[in-house]
Amino acid sequence: IMKKKAFTLAEVLIVLALVGFLFTLTIPNVIHKQGSQKYIDTLTTAQSKLQTAFDETAKANNNKYPMNWDSVKASNNKAEAIIKELGKKLQIMSYCGASDKGCFAPNGYRTLNGVATTVITDDMEPFAITSAQPQESLVANDKAGLESQDEDNTDSEQPQKPVQYQQADPQASSVYVSLLDGGSIALKTSSTYCNGIVPSVDPIERPFCGVIYVDVNGPAIPNMLGVDVFGFYLSGNNVLPMGFYGDDFSFDYNCLRETPHATKYNGLGCTAWAMKNKNMEYRKCQAGKRLGWASATRCVEPSK
């Protein structure tokens, strides 16, 4: 009768060591993937809630842009006035005012390539590209032009009454809030008017009123741009994700996991990609090389 050979203690230990090694290789990837998907789902929900709040608030203000809402137009702090209006539609838990303390991570934030950044706390820089007039004035003048076609030349040459705004003071303003769902929002403006234009390489002119930064899980880690922190343009009443195809603030240069010359904004250009493609492949391979709007949307190993 043949006896069954038992495993020695050394063999059992070797097998356990191999299993443990494989575990350390696979589990982090699974956690990484699940975490990324959770952030993307929360991001999509946050953008939807913000967009709904803007739509409903604009409707209550005759579909005007935020700077032309009556309460905002009469306020010298535009960011604060806008968030107070949106607060009627959003589930705001904490209002932190002009300071991020209490609403955002106390230990700061990092860019996608791991460099410390002050983008959340910095005031928005003055916007370089603007339309000739405030948006409400443009609409008023266009309407007046149509109405004047049936009038004589003397009447049509009457000067238009200027739109009355309370001058923004401070010119650049920021406001921070946290939501009941655990996320945090920073809204920043740098003008009395909604008269900016989002820079883009396509011929579409998109109005610009400010920027919105969303930390989908509030102060909780990882506090990294492009991972749990994302950027949006307040384009008229639209919450437009940064880094869209055609955005001059492009995905290829502002969503880089490896770069020695990254700016403090690096990672915010990942926003449109994460929402559109439902992945964070840019955390695995370099944007602009193996990933791009007009090329691959996944990190695929080249065939050997």
Side-chain angles (χ1 to χ4, degrees):
I1 299 174
M2 295 183 63
K3 294 183 179 181
K4 293 183 179 179
K5 184 178 179 181
F7 290 109
T8 65
L9 178 60
E11 290 172 329
V12 171
L13 292 176
I14 291 173
V15 170
L16 290 176
L18 288 173
V19 170
F21 176 71
L22 293 174
F23 182 85
T24 61
L25 291 178
T26 57
I27 294 303
N29 291 331
V30 172
I31 295 174
H32 184 285
K33 183 176 180 180
Q34 290 177 340
S36 295
Q37 192 57 54
K38 181 180 179 180
Y39 295 141
I40 292 171
D41 292 343
T42 310
L43 166 66
T44 303
T45 300
Q47 191 274 344
S48 178
K49 288 180 178 179
L50 274 171
Q51 186 61 67
T52 298
F54 273 102
D55 289 343
E56 293 179 354
T57 306
K59 186 176 180 180
N61 285 273
N62 298 316
N63 294 315
K64 296 176 181 178
Y65 287 168
M67 298 299 188
N68 298 318
W69 299 344
D70 289 341
S71 61
V72 178
K73 193 162 57 173
S75 174
N76 64 342
N77 189 315
K78 304 306 179 183
E80 179 184 67
I82 292 171
I83 209 70
K84 284 183 177 179
E85 283 295 306
L86 295 178
K88 301 172 184 178
K89 307 295 180 181
L90 294 172
Q91 294 180 311
I92 291 178
M93 180 175 67
S94 299
Y95 174 82
C96 297
S99 171
D100 66 304
K101 291 180 175 59
C103 288
F104 281 76
N107 296 322
Y109 288 80
R110 294 175 295 148
T111 63
L112 187 62
N113 60 317
V115 178
T117 178
T118 57
V119 68
I120 298 297
T121 55
D122 289 346
D123 283 335
M124 197 185 82
E125 296 174 3
F127 213 64
I129 304 178
T130 61
S131 58
Q133 297 172 286
Q135 293 293 336
E136 190 173 66
S137 296
L138 291 173
V139 174
N141 289 344
D142 288 344
K143 183 177 180 181
L146 291 174
E147 292 174 347
S148 67
Q149 290 179 357
D150 295 329
E151 301 175 0
D152 59 40
N153 292 335
T154 301
D155 292 337
S156 64
E157 292 175 358
Q158 294 297 320
Q160 298 299 320
K161 184 179 179 180
V163 179
Q164 297 299 314
Y165 292 88
Q166 174 67 39
Q167 182 66 36
D169 183 22
Q171 187 78 357
S173 58
S174 302
V175 65
Y176 303 86
V177 297
S178 61
L179 305 178
L180 285 175
D181 63 8
S184 300
I185 295 173
L187 189 150
K188 299 172 181 283
T189 64
S190 68
S191 172
T192 298
Y193 314 107
C194 263
N195 63 335
I197 299 175
V198 177
S200 62
V201 297
D202 60 32
I204 305 300
E205 287 195 358
R206 301 169 178 84
F208 178 90
C209 303
V211 296
I212 301 173
Y213 299 139
V214 177
D215 187 334
V216 297
N217 59 349
I221 59 174
N223 303 320
M224 179 176 282
L225 308 188
V227 180
D228 61 339
V229 182
F230 302 91
F232 297 88
Y233 301 110
L234 177 51
S235 180
N237 288 315
N238 293 318
V239 183
L240 184 67
M242 293 180 178
F244 60 86
Y245 183 56
D247 189 358
D248 191 54
F249 184 72
S250 69
F251 169 75
D252 288 0
Y253 293 95
N254 297 284
C255 185
L256 301 175
R257 66 191 292 267
E258 298 175 3
T259 175
H261 55 272
T263 69
K264 67 179 181 179
Y265 304 100
N266 184 40
L268 296 177
C270 306
T271 307
W273 180 279
M275 293 186 66
K276 176 72 174 179
N277 295 304
K278 305 298 181 185
N279 69 53
M280 290 187 182
E281 293 288 287
Y282 51 79
R283 298 181 69 184
K284 302 177 184 178
C285 60
Q286 190 79 327
K289 291 184 177 179
R290 293 172 60 187
L291 293 178
W293 284 111
S295 55
T297 60
R298 294 279 181 179
C299 298
V300 179
E301 293 292 337
S303 58
K304 297 181 180 180

